[in-house]
Amino acid sequence: MASIIESAQRLGVQLDEEGALQWLAAIAADAASDDHIVSHESGTFGHRVSMLDFTPRDLERFRRIGAIVEVTGPPAVAESALALSGSAAQSKIQSFPGDCDYFQRLNIKADTREEACRIMADLMRDAARRTATGDPFQFLEAKLGNYPENCEHGGQSRKKGTPITWTPVEVEAQSIQLDLADGTTRTLTWHEAALDPGWCKLDWVVADPERKALSNASNVIDVTWEAPDGEIVPLDGYLDAYFQEVYLDADAMPTFAKVAKFVSDDALDEYVERLESEVRKYLTKQVNYGKAAKRMYNIFRLSGRHVDAAYVRELFDEPATILYQVWSLLSTLDNATQPGTSIPIDAVRDQADALIMQVIAELEGEEEAEIVAALMTLRRTLEDQDAGERRSSDLEAARAHVINLVNTFFRAKLEGVPTIREYIEQMQQH
């Protein structure tokens, strides 16, 4: 701990020494346990380590949005357990969270796998259509199925086996057109795609009038099939681990417990390996030290590197981490102002103004002036839905500027700690 305190002082990171020591003591006591605990006060539950970083401060807001994003069906057919994930599940330490990320366990009872796939497809489509447009939400896209072969879809080249993204129009039509290499066209239906579901995900932009805030909200759906004999099988071939979710309704514990029994005994190791694969990507191919830092925190806290985790945990409370939130919300603003959106322009103005005021409050000097200028230019452009190429260029300029500052901040603070620098270099070499 002494070395972490020294590194924090040297790097100008404000470290709550007493809070960090209390967290270290708590995580050391709970790290060896796979137990889930229920908070009777908030009506939530989650893995012991995950619950250390959660506070019910914004729970009612998350439940309101959860009612929009959850995929539901008749209880006799579909059982659900909806959770927060990502920065939303770490609200105690994430002063400036990114998107509202949800994770849902959807257990479908059916006689055959094919029937379970059909039910899943119908329930996902029903959810997308129910929330296609309204106050205060706008459905953006769905992910269902994998491309069966190399092709072009929507004017973009797609590789065999990669996830299919469906627009609202395509979801409504229940089919997409794929342009094949031999010049022919193939029609792929929604239900055909569901037979190889892959990564199932729904995305929205959501307005919160009370907070005068916009958020991108997503729901990653882990769908399982419960056969008549009680065996539970993941439809995508992989049953996700449970080391980051905070579930919003304690009444869903029986559904969670029933499904979790089928999670692999090697789930923790597999989860860490998947996170490390993402860390490599964000340190080498799609450079984003902010996203890498968030994943490193989860790796460190789950793999015994608790002191490194305690340091990264403190970074999320630094004023400069608002830049990560700004970067995330730029896409939200763009999504909220697309032609045909139901999100009122006043909500967009309020969000842009709030971002500008937060930057002014948290940053100073040249950093502040450059970000504010970029945001003000983007604010004017976003109000003009006919801006076309200018809109895209202003958005990309603002995002590029912000992500450069995000990378500079997180890289300096992470690599300034010798043990974390060694870990980063190891990830970059593989």
Side-chain angles (χ1 to χ4, degrees):
M1 191 63 200
S3 65
I4 291 297
I5 293 171
E6 185 278 325
S7 294
Q9 292 173 342
R10 175 168 45 83
L11 296 166
V13 175
Q14 298 177 5
L15 187 136
D16 178 0
E17 183 176 346
E18 182 179 351
L21 285 169
Q22 289 175 350
W23 181 84
L24 279 169
I27 199 170
D30 289 336
S33 171
D34 280 340
D35 291 345
H36 279 65
I37 58 174
V38 176
S39 168
H40 296 286
E41 182 179 355
S42 64
T44 59
F45 69 92
H47 189 269
R48 285 180 177 275
V49 175
S50 299
M51 294 295 280
L52 288 174
D53 291 336
F54 176 70
T55 175
R57 180 180 60 236
D58 293 323
L59 188 55
E60 289 310 308
R61 171 176 176 255
F62 288 131
R63 281 177 170 149
R64 285 199 306 272
I65 298 175
I68 297 171
V69 308
E70 186 172 13
V71 176
T72 58
V77 175
E79 298 174 317
S80 171
L82 183 69
L84 294 170
S85 64
S87 57
Q90 296 173 339
S91 49
K92 186 177 289 184
I93 61 171
Q94 299 271 5
S95 297
F96 307 105
D99 300 332
C100 291
D101 296 326
Y102 292 80
F103 174 87
Q104 181 180 357
R105 295 189 185 273
L106 183 64
N107 185 48
I108 295 175
K109 301 175 184 179
D111 290 336
T112 66
R113 182 186 184 278
E114 289 72 19
E115 184 184 357
C117 290
R118 178 189 59 77
I119 293 171
M120 171 198 66
D122 289 340
L123 295 182
M124 285 183 62
R125 183 168 179 267
D126 288 346
R129 298 183 74 202
R130 170 176 57 83
T131 58
T133 184
D135 184 12
F137 50 80
Q138 177 80 39
F139 176 67
L140 298 176
E141 64 181 32
K143 283 188 170 59
L144 175 69
N146 297 308
Y147 288 103
E149 52 189 306
N150 294 335
C151 61
E152 282 196 4
H153 173 211
Q156 300 290 325
S157 296
R158 309 295 181 183
K159 290 184 178 181
K160 179 180 179 180
T162 57
I164 302 173
T165 300
W166 301 70
T167 67
V169 172
E170 291 169 335
V171 173
E172 181 66 27
Q174 302 188 70
S175 65
I176 55 175
Q177 301 299 314
L178 306 180
D179 297 321
L180 308 183
D182 62 4
T184 60
T185 299
R186 173 178 174 179
T187 299
L188 183 69
T189 69
W190 179 258
H191 285 95
E192 284 178 310
L195 294 174
D196 177 23
W199 188 34
C200 297
K201 183 169 178 275
L202 301 173
D203 285 279
W204 296 260
V205 61
V206 179
D208 188 340
E210 292 179 10
R211 296 163 57 100
K212 294 187 176 181
L214 297 173
S215 299
N216 266 24
S218 65
N219 185 10
V220 174
I221 309 152
D222 193 28
V223 190
T224 51
W225 163 47
E226 183 175 342
D229 63 0
E231 185 76 10
I232 291 179
V233 178
L235 290 184
D236 66 354
Y238 180 81
L239 189 56
D240 285 272
Y242 42 68
F243 300 105
Q244 196 181 346
E245 298 92 43
V246 173
Y247 288 83
L248 294 172
D249 185 356
D251 289 342
M253 175 66 97
T255 297
F256 166 82
K258 178 167 67 172
V259 174
K261 287 192 301 185
F262 292 87
V263 172
S264 166
D265 292 339
D266 299 322
L268 178 58
D269 292 339
E270 293 170 358
Y271 180 66
V272 170
E273 286 176 8
R274 293 178 71 181
L275 285 178
E276 289 194 325
S277 176
E278 293 183 17
V279 167
R280 290 188 191 95
K281 177 177 71 175
Y282 291 125
L283 291 177
T284 56
K285 297 177 182 177
Q286 302 174 23
V287 179
N288 186 322
Y289 275 77
K291 286 192 172 187
K294 289 173 181 281
R295 286 152 180 79
M296 276 191 266
Y297 171 68
N298 289 312
I299 291 169
F300 294 161
R301 74 189 177 104
L302 292 169
S303 59
R305 301 178 60 138
H306 297 150
V307 177
D308 286 339
Y311 172 79
V312 179
R313 192 174 188 267
E314 294 293 324
L315 286 185
F316 298 147
D317 198 35
E318 286 290 294
T321 57
I322 190 179
L323 293 168
Y324 184 88
Q325 186 186 60
V326 171
W327 176 82
S328 176
L329 283 170
L330 288 175
S331 291
T332 305
L333 289 171
D334 184 38
N335 290 331
T337 52
Q338 293 295 329
T341 182
S342 62
I343 302 296
I345 193 64
D346 285 346
V348 177
R349 293 192 188 102
D350 288 343
Q351 180 69 84
D353 291 344
L355 277 181
I356 291 170
M357 294 306 296
Q358 279 186 298
V359 170
I360 291 172
E362 300 292 347
L363 303 180
E364 57 185 23
E366 187 175 340
E367 258 183 12
E368 173 198 328
E370 291 179 0
I371 295 293
V372 168
L375 287 173
M376 290 182 70
T377 299
L378 183 61
R379 183 189 188 280
R380 290 191 295 269
T381 305
L382 289 171
E383 292 189 28
D384 180 7
Q385 294 191 354
D386 297 322
E389 292 184 7
R390 178 165 57 86
R391 171 198 181 98
S392 298
S393 62
D394 285 351
L395 178 68
E396 286 309 309
R399 284 176 61 85
H401 192 74
V402 174
I403 197 60
N404 182 56
L405 292 175
V406 167
N407 284 328
T408 299
F409 169 79
F410 277 104
R411 182 172 185 171
K413 302 307 182 189
L414 292 170
E415 293 186 347
V417 179
T419 53
I420 298 178
R421 182 176 65 249
E422 291 173 8
Y423 178 83
I424 289 174
E425 290 173 350
Q426 178 185 358
M427 290 295 101
Q428 291 173 328
Q429 289 169 2
H430 290 81

